[in-house]
Amino acid sequence: MDPISLQNSTTSNLLRISGLASGIDTDSIVKQLMTAASQPLYELEQQKQWLQWQQEDLQDINTKLLSLRDNTLFKMKLQGTYLAKTVSSNTSIATATAGVNAVNGTYTLNVNQLATAATSASDSALNAYTKNSDGSITYNSLILAGTTCTINLNGKQITLGSSDKDWTINDIVSAINKANAGVNATYDTTTDRLFLITNSTGSNAKIDFSGTTDSNALNFLTNTLKLNTSTVTGTDASFSFNGVNITTSSNNVTVAGININLTGVGQTNLSVTTDVDTIYNSIKSFVDAYNDVITQINSKLTEERYYDYKPLTDAQKEQMKDSDITLWEQKARSGDLNGNSTLTSIYYSMRNAISGTVIASDGTKMTLSSIGITTGQWYEGGKLYIDDTKLKDAIQKNPQEVMDLFTKIDSATELNATPGSSQNDGIAARLYYIVNNGINSITKEAGGGQYQLYDNSFLGQQINDLNQRISDMQDHLNTLEQQYYDQFTQLETYMAQMNSQSQWLSQQLGG
């Protein structure tokens, strides 16, 4: 009952006469009359609940389809997923990973020299701190307040010291690191020395104080920080790859699609092979995600419907225990999507895509079963199973065919056609197309969920229509209830008048 109707009803209740003259239990009679009159309202509310359950379950399946499309199928229709490589090597000389363009084979790597950074350090202890009797340390002042000097490091002017406080080694380290000169400074209390190192390697990396012209600054660098002010440079890496000499400023290089990290001097072989385990795990993740979705859809399509269990009204729930309500609603909700046409179309389209044949680039006809992926028993509704040995063997021996099975786009497909729309496209491409269309179909039927500002879906419109009919019915029932009470009030008035006249006649006759 809406607030206005409730207010009017409450105001009218103050004027109601309940059985004062007739002795009739008016409230009980009106309640029974209203229970009978409210039956159409209960049926509307049950219809609304049934539609809401359908909407919720369809949106739940849509969430699963979204995850399958975005987190699994998108990756599975990319060729790079099936081109994963692994590289073996002597890790004391080099570690390596292979990009998708690397060609399987063995490559010879001979490292002559590693790339190094430019480094410099204090020649001796700086006496930058004092150790206290309790084991703690106190940093000594290396630059007194009011004293400054300016050094030039790699072309960056760095002012050391300030007017308001003494500077310790920590202040000096902080100033160097903030100068963006390509050099990192650290101070080690164990050796009591300052260490400088460039943040890059190679012959272009340098520690250069040559731009420092201030004699006080040069004296500070030499006598206080005890640094050698001569320019220091790093070294380039020098190595050969399959006999080709290469020089580079970094120990991390990419050659022939192989990403190499040089770790030591010497010779090693880099063996590039197909990364069977990585590709297998990608396919297994796809199968698991597919099984999760197809099992849920099949379960909802075949779920038993219990027609004797209707959605409960609020009045019915008030007379039941919470545990009984839960059990009842499990039965009442069961089968809400049994035979749903949208889900049926998605279900069989997905199964057809999975079971289809794909012609690989070499002309070989491929199916999932040919690489060890088969469906289970008929009652499992299309659930997939993997023969691990057969799948890994196919990945190892025929990686191109495995890739084509999932990713191929039919060359005969019209230019304006969407990839995956052809029956000759790869399985992942087909499934992506089908699932994407399925998501759109469910959204049209059940809406986009909590993130949709206005629900104009088929079920959403039906629910809105029922809400209006429920509101109209509630208004009608409020009016009807008031009419019943008005009639009983009129009856009580007449009865009171008759009683009064009867008493008067009795008095007159008795007199």
Side-chain angles (χ1 to χ4, degrees):
M1 185 180 295
D2 61 85
I4 295 177
S5 299
L6 182 61
Q7 181 179 1
N8 291 338
S9 177
T10 303
T11 304
S12 300
N13 286 341
L14 298 177
L15 305 177
R16 290 172 181 167
I17 303 173
S18 181
L20 293 178
S22 66
I24 298 174
D25 187 354
T26 303
D27 288 335
S28 177
I29 294 175
V30 171
K31 183 177 180 180
Q32 293 178 45
L33 290 171
M34 291 307 300
T35 298
S38 298
Q39 189 59 38
L41 175 64
Y42 298 151
E43 292 176 357
L44 290 176
E45 290 176 339
Q46 288 174 327
Q47 292 176 33
K48 175 185 173 182
Q49 180 63 80
W50 181 251
L51 293 178
Q52 287 177 327
W53 283 340
Q54 288 180 307
Q55 189 176 48
E56 291 170 4
D57 287 344
L58 281 171
Q59 289 176 357
D60 181 52
I61 290 175
N62 224 17
T63 300
K64 291 283 184 68
L65 289 173
L66 279 166
S67 178
L68 176 66
R69 183 193 68 180
D70 298 340
N71 299 331
T72 305
L73 290 176
F74 179 78
K75 176 182 177 182
M76 293 301 293
K77 68 190 187 82
L78 299 178
Q79 292 186 349
T81 302
Y82 310 90
L83 296 174
K85 309 284 185 178
T86 184
V87 184
S88 61
S89 65
N90 182 343
T91 56
S92 64
I93 297 174
T95 59
T97 59
V100 296
N101 296 322
V103 179
N104 289 358
T106 301
Y107 304 85
T108 301
L109 177 69
N110 195 337
V111 182
N112 302 312
Q113 177 178 285
L114 294 177
T116 62
T119 61
S120 182
S122 304
D123 293 332
S124 58
L126 303 182
N127 191 30
Y129 72 91
T130 300
K131 192 169 186 178
N132 303 317
S133 58
D134 60 358
S136 63
I137 60 175
T138 300
Y139 289 99
N140 300 328
S141 298
L142 299 184
I143 304 177
L144 298 177
T147 303
T148 63
C149 64
T150 301
I151 63 173
N152 185 299
L153 177 57
N154 291 345
K156 298 287 185 178
Q157 299 288 336
I158 305 173
T159 299
L160 305 179
S162 62
S163 61
D164 59 343
K165 69 166 190 172
D166 293 352
W167 271 37
T168 67
I169 188 63
N170 293 325
D171 299 311
I172 296 167
V173 167
S174 178
I176 294 174
N177 289 336
K178 290 179 180 178
N180 196 26
V183 176
N184 293 320
T186 58
Y187 171 70
D188 178 53
T189 55
T190 302
T191 59
D192 190 24
R193 299 188 186 205
L194 177 68
F195 292 87
L196 303 177
I197 184 171
T198 56
N199 51 26
S200 62
T201 59
S203 56
N204 291 328
K206 61 182 179 179
I207 299 174
D208 181 9
F209 291 106
S210 61
T212 304
T213 57
D214 184 350
S215 58
N216 290 330
L218 287 171
N219 181 63
F220 180 77
L221 290 172
T222 304
N223 296 324
T224 303
L225 299 183
K226 299 182 181 180
L227 294 171
N228 186 335
T229 57
S230 299
T231 300
V232 182
T233 61
T235 59
D236 290 329
S238 173
F239 64 96
S240 65
F241 182 87
N242 269 12
V244 178
N245 293 324
I246 300 173
T247 300
T248 177
S249 63
S250 173
N251 290 316
N252 297 304
V253 294
T254 299
V255 184
I258 305 173
N259 306 310
I260 305 170
N261 178 39
L262 305 177
T263 58
V265 175
Q267 181 174 311
T268 183
N269 289 329
L270 303 178
S271 297
V272 179
T273 57
T274 299
D275 192 343
V276 175
D277 289 339
T278 296
I279 299 173
Y280 167 84
N281 288 332
S282 295
I283 296 175
K284 184 178 185 303
S285 295
F286 154 72
V287 169
D288 290 342
Y290 172 86
N291 283 341
D292 184 39
V293 172
I294 207 72
T295 299
Q296 182 175 358
I297 294 177
N298 180 59
S299 174
K300 295 304 294 183
L301 286 174
T302 58
E303 192 174 46
E304 185 176 358
R305 176 81 180 272
Y306 297 93
Y307 291 93
D308 293 336
Y309 289 81
K310 304 290 185 181
L312 297 171
T313 65
D314 291 338
Q316 290 171 327
K317 289 180 180 180
E318 290 177 358
Q319 301 173 13
M320 300 172 64
K321 297 179 180 178
D322 290 342
S323 58
D324 293 335
I325 293 173
T326 300
L327 293 174
W328 182 281
E329 291 193 338
Q330 286 176 354
K331 292 277 190 179
R333 188 166 185 164
S334 177
D336 61 336
L337 297 179
N338 185 299
N340 179 276
S341 59
T342 300
L343 285 187
T344 299
S345 176
I346 296 171
Y347 174 74
Y348 284 108
S349 295
M350 290 177 67
R351 291 200 60 181
N352 287 336
I354 282 291
S355 61
T357 300
V358 178
I359 301 177
S361 54
D362 61 359
T364 303
K365 290 185 177 180
M366 298 285 293
T367 63
L368 281 180
S369 61
S370 65
I371 64 171
I373 302 176
T374 57
T375 54
Q377 299 296 323
W378 65 268
Y379 53 80
E380 294 180 285
K383 186 177 180 180
L384 299 178
Y385 289 90
I386 298 177
D387 182 330
D388 293 347
T389 302
K390 189 173 182 179
L391 176 56
K392 289 183 177 181
D393 187 61
I395 295 170
Q396 180 68 53
K397 294 180 180 179
N398 306 301
Q400 181 66 45
E401 292 181 3
V402 173
M403 181 174 69
D404 288 344
L405 176 62
F406 285 96
T407 68
K408 182 187 175 186
I409 300 299
D410 183 20
S411 59
T413 300
E414 297 180 5
L415 294 178
N416 293 329
T418 304
S421 59
S422 170
Q423 290 299 313
N424 295 321
D425 291 338
I427 287 175
R430 270 185 267 167
L431 268 178
Y432 188 94
Y433 175 79
I434 290 167
V435 168
N436 191 61
N437 286 342
I439 291 169
N440 292 334
S441 296
I442 291 178
T443 301
K444 288 179 181 178
E445 181 172 348
Q450 59 180 328
Y451 302 107
Q452 188 173 357
L453 295 178
Y454 178 73
D455 184 3
N456 58 356
S457 67
F458 177 70
L459 288 176
Q461 292 295 333
Q462 286 187 300
I463 292 171
N464 289 336
D465 179 63
L466 283 172
N467 282 333
Q468 184 59 52
R469 293 172 63 187
I470 288 171
S471 178
D472 293 343
M473 179 62 73
Q474 287 174 333
D475 290 341
H476 166 71
L477 291 174
N478 291 339
T479 302
L480 181 61
E481 183 183 39
Q482 186 60 47
Q483 288 177 353
Y484 285 146
Y485 273 109
D486 289 345
Q487 291 171 356
F488 277 104
T489 299
Q490 189 66 39
L491 173 63
E492 293 296 332
T493 301
Y494 291 153
M495 291 292 292
Q497 291 175 353
M498 291 176 64
N499 289 338
S500 177
Q501 291 176 354
S502 176
Q503 292 176 1
W504 180 82
L505 287 172
S506 296
Q507 290 174 357
Q508 294 299 319
L509 292 172

